[in-house]
Amino acid sequence: MKKTKRNPSSPPPPTDHRVLLKIMRESNRPLSPDDILPMLGLHRRKKGDVDDMLKDLVAQGKLIKLGRAYAPMDRVNLITGKVQVQRSGVAFLIPDDPRRKDVFLGQDTGGAWHGDKVAVAITRENARKNHEGRVVRIIERGKNVLTVRVVRAAGPGSYLCKPTDPRLDFALLTHDTDAALGLATGDIALVAPGDQVDAAVWEGVVLSRLGPENEAGVQEALVKANHGVPTSFPKQALTEAAALPAQPAETDFAQRKDLQKVPFVTIDGATARDFDDAIYVEQKGKGYRLWVAIADVAHYVPVGSALDLEAYERGNSYYFPASVEPMFPHALSNGLCSLNPNVPRLSVAVCMDMDERGLPGETRVMNAVIKSHARLTYDRARDLCVDKLPEARAELAAELPGGEGEAVLTMLDLAEQLARQMRQRRLERGSLDFDLPEGEVRFDAAGNPEAMVQRERHFAHQLIEEFMIAANEAVSEYLQAHALPCLYRVHAEPDREKLETLYTLLSRLDGEAAPKRAKAGRFTDDDFAPEALGRLLHSVAGTEREFLVNRMVLRSMKQARYQPENEGHFGLASESYAHFTSPIRRYADLIIHRLVKRALGDQHSPAPGFKKLAEMGQHLSGRERVSQEAERECNKRYACLVLRGQEGREFKAIVSSLTDYGFWVELPEVLAEGFIRLSTMLDDYYGYLKEREMLLGERTGRVIRTGQAVRAKLIGVHLDRLEIDLELVAEARKPGDPEAAGADLSRRERRAIEDSRRADRARQKRTGGGKSGGGRSAGKSGSGKAGDKSGSRRSGSDSSRGKPGGKTDGTSGGKRRGR
């Protein structure tokens, strides 16, 4: 019987991406398009359709291309994540799975750029260090538009450009640029990268001109573009915001507790315009009753609305020295949802009973309507209830009518008492408190940055922090008690290897005076508990070791994140913690508000499942990291702008980090960080003793330690590389002083260093080696890899000094809350 041929133009058997993915997963080997066609019963002429589906699945990260064949991502030993390039030039993979450790990639990233999503194959597994790997595929470019600096014209309509991000080490050659843009050398522009034309050159198309590099506004626009920070709202979101009322309607007050007569107050930064929390404290027997009222954003923003979808994509608000990109349009963030004074506002209120020692008792949560009786700044709150200045108290009493002023003053005095008790109890339980200086930019009348100054911080800030932490803990426990899911704010235990290094270092430096371990001779879990680290920080407070210990403990901390599993918050020594107090500026808090409404009986309020919460937590943690990185880059750029033209100026400096080729110093006067290369220190050859965290001069015995105060002279500012170059200023010595600056070494240290030198000389003699002529940084014992990741991430502890933990108000910052 003659075989009937299939008509290649007839419709193929039913198939879609799911069917194709199912075939790939059930196969015991990678499949090429030629393998797949007969499995689907398709003619070869349909190969183009299969190719398109395979490419779609690759773009979605579900398949990976291996030569001519394809395989499911979950069937190969690959890890997906984002490339993070360090300032030293080496790269790491930050895995999508937060349970995995970062993977060391070295300097060969297979064409991947900083921020790209890639698939990495593990090439070497290490028990204590990071695994090593190589990039096998670039899944998605992190940036489709690059900010560039115009280097020079390269012909009519053509320009040679360099990315402003120093971690992108290549050039772009643009063609057919619109002359109307008026591009000039030194301008900052936005470029869409095209094809690679050389190992270090890509084609590109200029999209727009931002302006001259030395303008503050250009620098902020550059940072926003670098990090994908949204700068405008979709039209539909703005339409929804405009349709909302200017004030809450009386009908909205139904089934809410009316607290309008309770003298709530807001305490925020001087430039704040969005007030999302108000407080009230009253006496209850020998103890206290604390009320924290939070703006009810969930009432106005339905799930799935354009406002909701845009807020989720943003994840949080983004704060810069001269501007802010809010999570919601101003109609909500500064108007309807903001707890402005003397107007009714919808809120979710938490009422917490506290005993006389500041320990929590019964908690109640409710929908409420409040009216803020006073808008206070931090400084005014300090004058009123911390310093209790008579003139400030008299002024407030006169401002508020009908005895309200006296009621507010009485309330603030109780709040100050309660906050001190709560803070003491929190520190006793092991909560870590890193009080690091935080800078802000001061502008001149023309809007140009003229100085970086330290933002003043006092107990009024801590008062609000204590109340917000308490509310966050109370709401987390409230959802647990109602058997509802929760998006917890989790902070994992620190890196034990780094803490072991710290304990060992202190033992070598201070001998018997060093902090003692729980059990002599070995490390135990007790040595890494929050209480132990709290005691360690307290033991060095005010000593020469304080800077070193604070920085090394901080560098051991993991990144805080959002997830549906409750693993506790190590930095706060809290068993259950969630973000609830800033729904105007953090989407994670809005999720918690909706879950609280569910617990209060609103069955229409969504309760996402575990898988959905995990997905949302991962997205929001990622957006938070973007916010942190953008803030850090912006501060570096402003520091460079402020210091340009000040070459030759001398600064007080503190050594913050050491390498075998130089060391970083912090400049407290300008709150910036610079680098001193050993190649500029011509008085000696210096070796890096990593196990002792010091650089040691071979001839003079001069010691450079982490935390040491030195003087440094500015020799160069490089805005293109975001680098501040310094050189060490020689210290004047009195006649008869020992030449060795290592006179501060203990006898124990000197013996150990001499033993190390003798061992080095003996080793060189055995191997026939000698000194290398590679420069003045003769990094000997303990010299680590140039790409050591120590200190690459500042903190995951939700320190109240950083954005991960809370909010910054207005355009110039001010309040960090909620941790």
Side-chain angles (χ1 to χ4, degrees):
M1 185 174 178
K2 188 175 180 180
K3 189 173 182 179
T4 304
K5 290 186 179 180
R6 181 189 299 272
N7 181 359
S9 63
S10 63
T15 187
D16 56 21
H17 293 76
R18 285 184 301 170
V19 172
L20 183 54
L21 190 59
K22 184 172 183 286
I23 290 174
M24 301 294 294
R25 284 176 171 159
E26 291 176 351
S27 174
N28 58 7
R29 65 181 179 86
L31 299 174
S32 69
D34 290 335
D35 297 325
I36 296 169
L37 286 169
M39 294 180 175
L40 294 173
L42 295 177
H43 190 274
R44 285 189 58 82
R45 292 184 184 179
K46 297 296 181 182
K47 185 178 178 181
D49 295 338
V50 173
D51 283 339
D52 289 341
M53 286 194 293
L54 289 170
K55 288 176 182 177
D56 289 343
L57 290 170
V58 167
Q60 295 169 22
K62 295 177 180 178
L63 295 182
I64 184 169
K65 189 174 183 181
L66 304 171
R68 290 181 298 174
Y70 295 81
M73 191 70 77
D74 53 10
R75 292 290 302 274
V76 293
N77 186 26
L78 297 177
I79 300 173
T80 60
K82 289 192 175 181
V83 175
Q84 183 184 80
V85 179
Q86 308 290 358
R87 56 187 172 187
S88 60
V90 300
F92 286 81
L93 177 80
I94 310 301
D96 290 333
D97 185 347
R99 295 168 297 182
R100 285 186 175 272
K101 292 184 68 174
D102 300 347
V103 180
F104 179 77
L105 301 176
Q107 292 184 310
D108 182 10
T109 58
W113 303 341
H114 174 79
D116 286 355
K117 184 171 183 178
V118 299
V120 166
I122 301 299
T123 57
R124 178 180 296 177
E125 294 187 354
N126 298 308
R128 293 175 66 86
K129 296 182 180 180
N130 299 82
H131 293 341
E132 298 176 27
R134 64 178 178 85
V135 176
V136 297
R137 193 172 78 82
I138 300 170
I139 298 173
E140 183 182 5
R141 286 290 186 198
K143 296 178 181 178
N144 296 318
V145 176
L146 301 178
T147 57
V148 302
R149 179 182 301 101
V150 178
V151 177
R152 60 178 173 84
S158 298
Y159 294 90
L160 182 67
C161 308
K162 287 279 290 183
T164 57
D165 188 338
R167 295 166 297 191
L168 301 180
D169 190 19
F170 53 83
L172 291 111
L173 188 61
T174 68
H175 299 291
D176 301 323
T177 303
D178 186 356
L181 293 175
L183 277 188
T185 299
D187 278 352
I188 302 298
L190 298 181
V191 169
D195 296 330
Q196 187 172 12
V197 296
D198 190 64
V201 180
W202 294 71
E203 289 183 330
V205 176
V206 177
L207 303 178
S208 63
R209 172 182 177 269
L210 297 183
E213 183 177 30
N214 59 355
E215 291 185 3
V218 172
Q219 288 296 313
E220 290 200 5
L222 178 161
V223 170
K224 292 173 187 178
N226 270 351
H227 296 275
V229 175
T231 56
S232 61
F233 285 94
K235 183 178 180 180
Q236 190 174 352
L238 292 174
T239 300
E240 288 182 0
L244 291 169
Q247 300 288 343
E250 287 287 341
T251 54
D252 293 332
F253 299 170
Q255 299 182 335
R256 287 180 179 266
K257 187 171 182 64
D258 191 343
L259 301 175
Q260 294 184 75
K261 293 184 179 179
V262 177
F264 280 94
V265 300
T266 61
I267 303 178
D268 294 83
T271 59
R273 297 293 179 271
D274 48 349
F275 313 128
D276 50 13
D277 53 85
I279 62 157
Y280 173 70
V281 180
E282 60 184 320
Q283 196 85 51
K284 183 177 181 292
K286 292 183 179 180
Y288 308 86
R289 176 166 287 166
L290 168 63
W291 292 81
V292 175
I294 307 299
D296 192 355
V297 180
H299 179 83
Y300 297 107
V301 182
V303 175
S305 64
L307 281 170
D308 180 60
L309 295 175
E310 178 65 14
Y312 177 71
E313 284 304 312
R314 293 179 179 228
N316 44 247
S317 297
Y318 300 83
Y319 295 91
F320 301 94
S323 64
V324 59
E325 298 298 341
M327 191 171 77
F328 290 110
H330 288 125
L332 274 78
S333 61
N334 293 11
L336 183 60
C337 290
S338 181
L339 305 182
N340 298 325
N342 304 315
V343 291
R345 286 290 184 261
L346 306 186
S347 72
V348 179
V350 183
C351 177
M352 295 163 276
D353 289 340
M354 299 281 180
D355 68 15
E356 66 273 20
R357 298 184 66 242
L359 293 173
E362 183 183 358
T363 295
R364 295 174 298 285
V365 183
M366 65 205 75
N367 290 313
V369 55
I370 73 160
K371 183 182 292 184
S372 170
H373 286 226
R375 180 272 199 262
L376 303 178
T377 65
Y378 287 116
D379 289 348
R380 194 176 189 192
R382 174 199 57 198
D383 295 344
L384 292 169
C385 67
V386 180
D387 296 340
K388 294 180 170 54
L389 301 180
E391 59 273 20
R393 294 171 72 91
E395 183 181 358
L396 181 71
E399 274 181 20
L400 302 181
E404 284 186 14
E406 292 298 331
V408 168
L409 288 172
T410 300
M411 186 276 293
L412 289 174
D413 289 339
L414 289 172
E416 188 258 352
Q417 296 172 19
L418 175 59
R420 291 193 185 278
Q421 292 292 335
M422 292 170 67
R423 178 174 172 78
Q424 185 60 34
R425 302 291 83 77
R426 182 169 61 83
L427 295 177
E428 286 173 358
R429 79 188 187 191
S431 181
L432 304 181
D433 202 31
F434 297 100
D435 195 11
L436 301 176
E438 183 181 350
E440 63 181 351
V441 182
R442 190 172 64 207
F443 296 90
D444 62 18
N448 299 313
E450 62 179 4
M452 298 280 288
V453 297
Q454 183 170 332
R455 182 176 288 122
E456 186 180 4
R457 178 174 164 79
H458 43 71
F459 190 75
H461 295 86
Q462 296 174 359
L463 179 150
I464 290 298
E465 283 178 3
E466 294 305 324
F467 294 168
M468 297 306 113
I469 291 170
N472 286 336
E473 289 180 330
V475 167
S476 175
E477 293 166 1
Y478 178 80
L479 291 177
Q480 284 182 317
H482 284 76
L484 280 166
C486 182
L487 187 63
Y488 295 98
R489 180 65 170 179
V490 169
H491 182 224
E493 292 185 355
D495 188 312
R496 291 199 173 193
E497 183 180 351
K498 291 180 180 177
L499 289 178
E500 286 179 14
T501 299
L502 172 59
Y503 278 117
T504 303
L505 172 62
L506 292 176
S507 178
R508 287 170 175 164
L509 292 177
D510 299 331
E512 291 299 317
K516 301 295 185 294
R517 301 175 193 169
K519 293 187 179 180
R522 66 187 180 91
F523 291 104
T524 66
D525 289 346
D526 292 339
D527 294 315
F528 309 110
E531 297 89 342
L533 294 186
R535 289 193 299 269
L536 173 61
L537 294 172
H538 180 73
S539 70
V540 298
T543 72
E544 63 177 8
R545 299 283 183 243
E546 182 175 16
F547 187 93
L548 169 67
V549 172
N550 272 273
R551 287 307 190 274
M552 292 190 72
V553 171
L554 195 60
R555 289 169 185 166
S556 73
M557 293 294 158
K558 304 278 180 69
Q559 183 84 22
R561 62 184 184 273
Y562 298 109
Q563 65 179 46
E565 306 103 325
N566 183 17
E567 297 177 2
H569 195 295
F570 182 90
L572 293 173
S574 179
E575 294 181 359
S576 185
Y577 197 74
H579 273 167
F580 162 76
T581 54
S582 293
I584 290 177
R585 66 199 68 213
R586 284 188 310 229
Y587 193 89
D589 302 56
L590 182 56
I591 294 173
I592 296 299
H593 274 244
R594 288 167 174 163
L595 290 166
V596 166
K597 287 182 174 294
R598 182 88 171 196
L600 291 173
D602 183 356
Q603 296 305 308
H604 298 291
S605 191
F610 186 92
K611 186 176 180 181
K612 180 63 175 177
L613 279 175
E615 177 186 313
M616 298 171 85
Q618 188 170 335
H619 167 74
L620 296 175
S621 297
R623 295 311 300 171
E624 179 185 59
R625 287 193 291 273
V626 168
S627 176
Q628 294 167 4
E629 291 167 3
E631 178 191 5
R632 282 194 290 266
E633 181 182 333
C634 200
N635 286 339
K636 286 180 182 178
R637 291 187 175 279
Y638 271 110
C640 288
L641 288 179
V642 167
L643 290 175
R644 288 175 81 174
Q646 299 190 43
E647 287 80 2
R649 177 181 169 186
E650 292 187 8
F651 297 90
K652 295 177 181 178
I654 299 174
V655 179
S656 59
S657 183
L658 305 171
T659 72
D660 57 354
Y661 56 90
F663 53 98
W664 282 270
V665 295
E666 294 184 8
L667 307 175
E669 294 172 65
V670 291
L671 293 170
E673 187 180 55
F675 190 71
I676 298 176
R677 288 173 172 78
L678 293 186
S679 59
T680 66
M681 297 171 61
L682 306 179
D683 62 328
D684 206 343
Y685 289 99
Y686 287 84
Y688 176 35
L689 305 180
K690 186 175 182 180
E691 72 279 6
R692 294 181 178 278
E693 274 295 301
M694 68 167 64
L695 292 163
L696 180 67
E698 294 182 15
R699 178 180 62 84
T700 62
R702 186 177 193 179
V703 171
I704 305 292
R705 278 201 183 109
T706 303
Q708 181 177 332
V710 298
R711 288 199 66 81
K713 183 168 72 173
L714 181 65
I715 60 175
V717 178
H718 307 282
L719 191 55
D720 56 338
R721 303 197 303 268
L722 291 183
E723 291 179 359
I724 298 170
D725 287 340
L726 304 157
E727 67 179 13
L728 199 62
V729 176
E731 298 175 9
R733 300 191 178 278
K734 296 178 182 178
D737 278 357
E739 183 183 14
D744 62 336
L745 291 175
S746 68
R747 189 176 304 169
R748 177 189 180 97
E749 287 180 290
R750 285 198 186 92
R751 282 201 304 268
I753 289 170
E754 286 303 320
D755 290 344
S756 176
R757 284 174 168 172
R758 280 195 293 270
D760 273 347
R761 287 194 290 269
R763 185 162 50 251
Q764 290 173 0
K765 189 174 181 181
R766 285 195 304 272
T767 60
K771 285 182 183 177
S772 67
R776 298 192 174 273
S777 173
K780 292 186 179 181
S781 59
S783 196
K785 287 183 179 179
D788 184 16
K789 195 166 175 277
S790 168
S792 63
R793 284 188 190 167
R794 290 268 316 188
S795 161
S797 64
D798 263 337
S799 164
S800 62
R801 308 294 288 161
K803 289 257 176 19
K807 79 181 187 182
T808 303
D809 298 295
T811 59
S812 62
K815 175 160 63 178
R816 284 357 181 224
R817 299 192 177 169
R819 301 197 178 202

